[in-house]
Amino acid sequence: MDCKTLILFLFFFTLISSADFIIHPSNEVNLLDSKASQGELGWISSPSHGWEEISGVDEHYTPIRTFQVCNVMEYSQNNWLRTNWIPRNSAQKIYVELKFTLRDCNSIPMVLTCKETFNLHYLETEEDQGNKFREHQFSKIDTIAADESFTQMDLGDRILKLNTEVREVGPMTKKGFYLAFQDVGACVALVSVRVYFKKCPFTVRNLAMFPDTVPTDSQSLVEVRGSCVNNSKEEDPPKMYCSTEGEWLVPIGKCLCNIGYEERGVACQACRPGFYKASSGNVKCSKCPPHSYTHQEGSVHCGCEKNYFRADEDPASMACSRPPSAPRNVISAINETSVILDWNWPADTGGRKDVIFNVVCKRCWPGPRQCEPCRGAVRFLPRAFGLTNTTVTVADLLAHTNYTFEIEAQNGVSFQAPTIRQYAAVTITTNQAAPSAVTVIRKDRTSRNSISLSWMEPERPNGIILDYEVKYYEKEQETSYTILRSKGTNVTLNGLKPDTTYLLQIRARTAAGYGSSSRKFEFETSPDSFSISSENSQVVLIAISSAVAIILLTVVLYIVISRFCRYSKSKHPDEKRLPFGNGHLRLPGIKTYVDPHTYEDPSQAVHEFAKELDASSIAIDKVVGAGEFGEVCSGRLKLPSKKEICVAIKTLKAGYTEKQRRDFLSEASIMGQFDHPNIIRLEGVVTRSKPVMIVTEYMENGSLDGFLRKHDAQFTVIQLVGMLRGIASGMKYLSDMGYVHRDLAARNILVNSNLVCKVSDFGLSRVLEDDPEAAYTTRGGKIPIRWTAPEAIAYRKFTSASDVWSYGIVLWEVMSYGERPYWEMSNQDVIKAVDEGYRLPPPMECPATLYQLMLDCWQKDRNNRPKFEQIVSILDKLIRNPSSLKITASTASRPVNLLLDRNSTDITSFHTMGDWLESARTLPCKDAFSGVSYSSCDTLAKTSAEDFKKVGVTIVGPQKKIVSSLTTLETHSKNGPVPV
Ligand code: ACK
């Protein structure tokens, strides 16, 4: 058996080589694999009798092509085998893996040239050179020797040893290359030739994708930027390095799954329904927290169930929550004018910990229950809003006063459910309390032996001040002091030592006892001798001569005036009035009103018009409100041989000045002159004992404005017109008497249990000015702007015609159930708007005739306004013919809409009164009324019911309040003032 035959047999033997069990790593890319070829490889063998291509099977019996040579019996062997042209691709470094068997020379008998190695060569070219083969062009890579060679014995055992050798070639630069195997006399079989290069394969690390990367031949690593997988984003730029061995090294940076996606395997996948992920990061999606849900995939948060909310700052992981229930078990502990309120936490905190409490203070009056927010002076400790504890102290309340406190619980989601206001209320009445300290003391005059002082009443008298205690002593002689009592707020201390320092303290006393003392007030009396310097002497001389002149003038005036008064006193009381012009001609036979100010001694007027009552005939029951001069109480009056009646008692608070007393009683002097079912009736006055009181009939339902607000939309139009008729009738009586009210407003009308309205509040002190027009000014220039006619505001022309204007406003107040005229517009804006011709719009569903009457009352020219007599007669007609009230100035047909150009102006688009005014201002009145023949804005007020029909007045449903305070904006847009 020759060597060749020996080798040919080799594939029927078991090949032993560890290499055969190696699976090629995935980072090796084959350029050539002889085993993969089923047909002839077509390699060039030179000389042709050298290397021989033969077919065989591998260990798996897969057919393969192999080459073998075994010319060991001949000398000088130089057999070449060249592969086909192998394209390099991008590889720079190439690996050649050879598998071969080699016969042990010693095992071959009588060999001549036996070798146990062969040579491996390569040649780089830019292109395939076909069959062209030249040995000398090739470069040697290495001499390949077998680790294991086989012997005859192995053949006998049918075991052949397969060698695997790998050689590196590179760097390669040309497009391709050839390999060549040079045999120089060995017995060798090339079982397989594999040529490959290494790469770093595509991989995903830290959610970043790294592409297939071929390393360079040099030793340096290749830096590769990764790109984030879908639905993820870079946190740190992801990077890795590809080594020359095709291994990924040193991963840096990473990508994070987007919100709504979680890391699953090497991808970011959407959260399933019912789960959410609110932050990016490689954490899992979380289950929706309680009271929340999501039906979508990839949710970033879960929506709250109905009636559950999430505050802005709530994390997505927090359960949805709801506003708390009301606080429970409110307890109040009253201490004089303070109250400590304590309550329990709400039963349901809504699932939150951030519960706070707000305390709203309302001052309330009995009778028709009416409350208004407490004014500024009330103190809350620690505060009124945002309380975290369940207690608050409310101080500086008024004594003997009803308060309601609303304790509201809120949490972080209360604002999202504003309609659910959860509060507990407690009503208290404060006790009697001593007055607060006198804080302001003024030194009026000092002399050698005396000092005159005056002071202000304490800020909180907490009742009627009976007197003041003035305690004074020489400085540093505190044990020897003097005490004086003063009914008024001034005192003169006599009998003092000259040029001495004194200290003084004052405290007020009420029925509740003494208040706390003022701080110590220091003063000095003048020195014994008072020298006048020469430069002052001239000034003093001038002062003395001026004083003498003034005294002389006063004496002369006194004589003149007293003569005149003697003359006037001899006349009838009605003739005692000083002439005052209010634009009214007094008809003979009709009683006229006498201004108490025209009396030489106004207190004389009181006794002329008011009955003096004995204080013992009056029983005060409770305080029902606060008047300008003191408390208003309800009580009973029992006159001898008369039935006891309910009365209202106005008191004059202690510490009043003479002027205040006069002004207070002037109301009684005025009221006492009237006798009409729609004017509040004066029962009498108490002036001879303290406190000074005015006693009137009791009006069970209190002020009209509050009464209407309380009974919003509860009356029929006829009932409202009935009330208005009463007011008009009372005003007619007053104007017939020549009395100008000047403060006619719903708040100054009182309502009794039979819904009878009576005009009240004759309390403004009216100062007659020396003016031919005989207009009046209000005290301190205070004019109730919203109710007052423009001429009265502009130049104080108060007449019955200006009262008619105010009546128009009252009419509007009544028909809108106590709405505030002109809503929140400022006084200045009201004056401006009215002056420019704008008027209040009709209250919602207001009968057209009544709105017409309002517009008539608001005529600019006061001569065009109706007289009260006419108003009474119009209202009487309406009452007799109620169907005339069915035509309403409805929302759709009110002039306001007509006055705004529908084509250019969407009235609902006004968000503020300002917007409305700006827009309305630009529209000329006559343009707005195109289609209705009005020649001027003034004549619009004369619109008849017919005209209203022409412009689309329709019959609508029941009377309603114009707006609620919360819908002011909407009301503005629907009911903005109307130009006339
Ligand atoms: O709206 P009211 O309850 O009614 O609150 C005020 C308060 O006194 C201050 O003016 C009430 N008031 C005034 N006069 C009377 C009266 N004659 N009858 C009943 N309440 C009166 C008024």
Side-chain angles (χ1 to χ4, degrees), residues 606-607 610-619 636-640 642 645 647-649 681-697:
V606 181
H607 294 115
K611 182 164 31 163
E612 177 74 28
L613 300 172
D614 195 308
S616 64
S617 63
I618 303 162
R636 284 152 292 130
L637 172 70
K638 173 77 184 84
L639 292 177
K642 284 210 172 158
I645 55 164
V647 285
I649 305 143
R681 189 181 68 252
L682 177 73
E683 295 295 345
V685 291
V686 177
T687 62
R688 303 212 165 108
S689 63
K690 297 263 171 61
V692 175
M693 296 186 249
I694 298 176
V695 181
T696 65
E697 66 180 305

Side-chain angles (χ1 to χ4, degrees), residues 626-639:
E628 194 189 345
F629 294 95
E631 287 154 346
V632 181
C633 307
S634 68
R636 284 152 292 130
L637 172 70
K638 173 77 184 84
L639 292 177

Side-chain angles (χ1 to χ4, degrees), residues 352-615:
R352 303 183 65 88
K353 292 203 176 78
D354 56 355
V355 176
I356 52 139
F357 304 96
N358 298 331
V359 181
V360 176
C361 170
K362 289 184 178 171
R363 188 181 166 194
C364 299
W365 286 269
R369 187 131 194 93
Q370 196 187 330
C371 297
E372 64 174 35
C374 298
R375 301 251 160 75
V378 176
R379 275 190 303 132
F380 291 83
L381 298 168
R383 63 192 164 273
F385 293 96
L387 294 165
T388 46
N389 289 330
T390 56
T391 183
V392 70
T393 302
V394 190
D396 296 349
L397 297 165
L398 298 174
H400 284 301
T401 304
N402 291 340
Y403 289 94
T404 294
F405 295 98
E406 290 171 0
I407 300 148
E408 183 185 9
Q410 279 189 350
N411 64 15
V413 295
S414 292
F415 295 105
Q416 298 189 45
T419 48
I420 313 169
R421 187 169 171 255
Q422 299 287 4
Y423 67 87
V426 63
T427 299
I428 61 132
T429 305
T430 48
N431 294 333
Q432 179 165 275
S436 61
V438 170
T439 50
V440 183
I441 303 174
R442 239 187 352 257
K443 184 168 69 182
D444 293 337
R445 204 160 19 86
T446 34
S447 72
R448 289 173 58 241
N449 304 109
S450 70
I451 178 155
S452 297
L453 301 158
S454 58
W455 56 90
M456 301 255 291
E457 188 179 82
E459 202 180 321
R460 277 170 290 109
N462 292 335
I464 296 164
I465 292 180
L466 302 173
D467 55 25
Y468 291 90
E469 181 195 84
V470 182
K471 173 181 169 184
Y472 64 97
Y473 50 87
E474 262 181 65
K475 200 172 178 181
E476 277 143 26
Q477 305 274 314
E478 193 164 353
T479 49
S480 146
Y481 54 81
T482 309
I483 285 187
L484 276 184
R485 287 187 208 292
S486 163
K487 295 260 175 227
T489 53
N490 50 36
V491 75
T492 300
L493 310 179
N494 292 312
L496 305 178
K497 293 186 194 158
D499 202 10
T500 307
T501 304
Y502 285 87
L503 290 177
L504 167 139
Q505 275 183 298
I506 301 175
R507 57 182 181 158
R509 185 170 70 96
T510 62
Y514 281 107
S516 38
S517 294
S518 67
R519 63 174 184 80
K520 287 178 183 150
F521 180 73
E522 190 173 309
F523 64 91
E524 267 170 48
T525 47
S526 313
D528 232 345
S529 55
F530 191 66
S531 66
I532 301 170
S533 70
S534 60
E535 47 189 307
N536 284 340
S537 59
Q538 233 176 342
V539 179
V540 173
L541 212 63
I542 293 168
I544 290 169
S545 36
S546 311
V548 170
I550 288 167
I551 290 165
L552 279 176
L553 205 66
T554 313
V555 169
V556 171
L557 270 174
Y558 176 78
I559 294 165
V560 171
I561 290 171
S562 54
R563 275 192 189 170
F564 172 79
C565 289
R566 261 202 302 282
Y567 161 78
S568 64
K569 262 186 197 167
S570 64
K571 295 190 174 178
H572 181 272
D574 281 2
E575 296 163 37
K576 279 185 263 178
R577 285 182 302 120
L578 290 177
F580 71 97
N582 56 11
H584 285 262
L585 276 176
R586 298 280 78 73
L587 296 169
I590 290 189
K591 200 176 156 200
T592 50
Y593 154 75
V594 179
D595 187 337
H597 288 101
T598 61
Y599 273 73
E600 182 191 353
D601 172 10
S603 61
Q604 195 193 336
V606 181
H607 294 115
E608 194 153 322
F609 299 117
K611 182 164 31 163
E612 177 74 28
L613 300 172
D614 195 308

Side-chain angles (χ1 to χ4, degrees), residues 205 208 720:
R205 285 288 168 86
L720 297 174

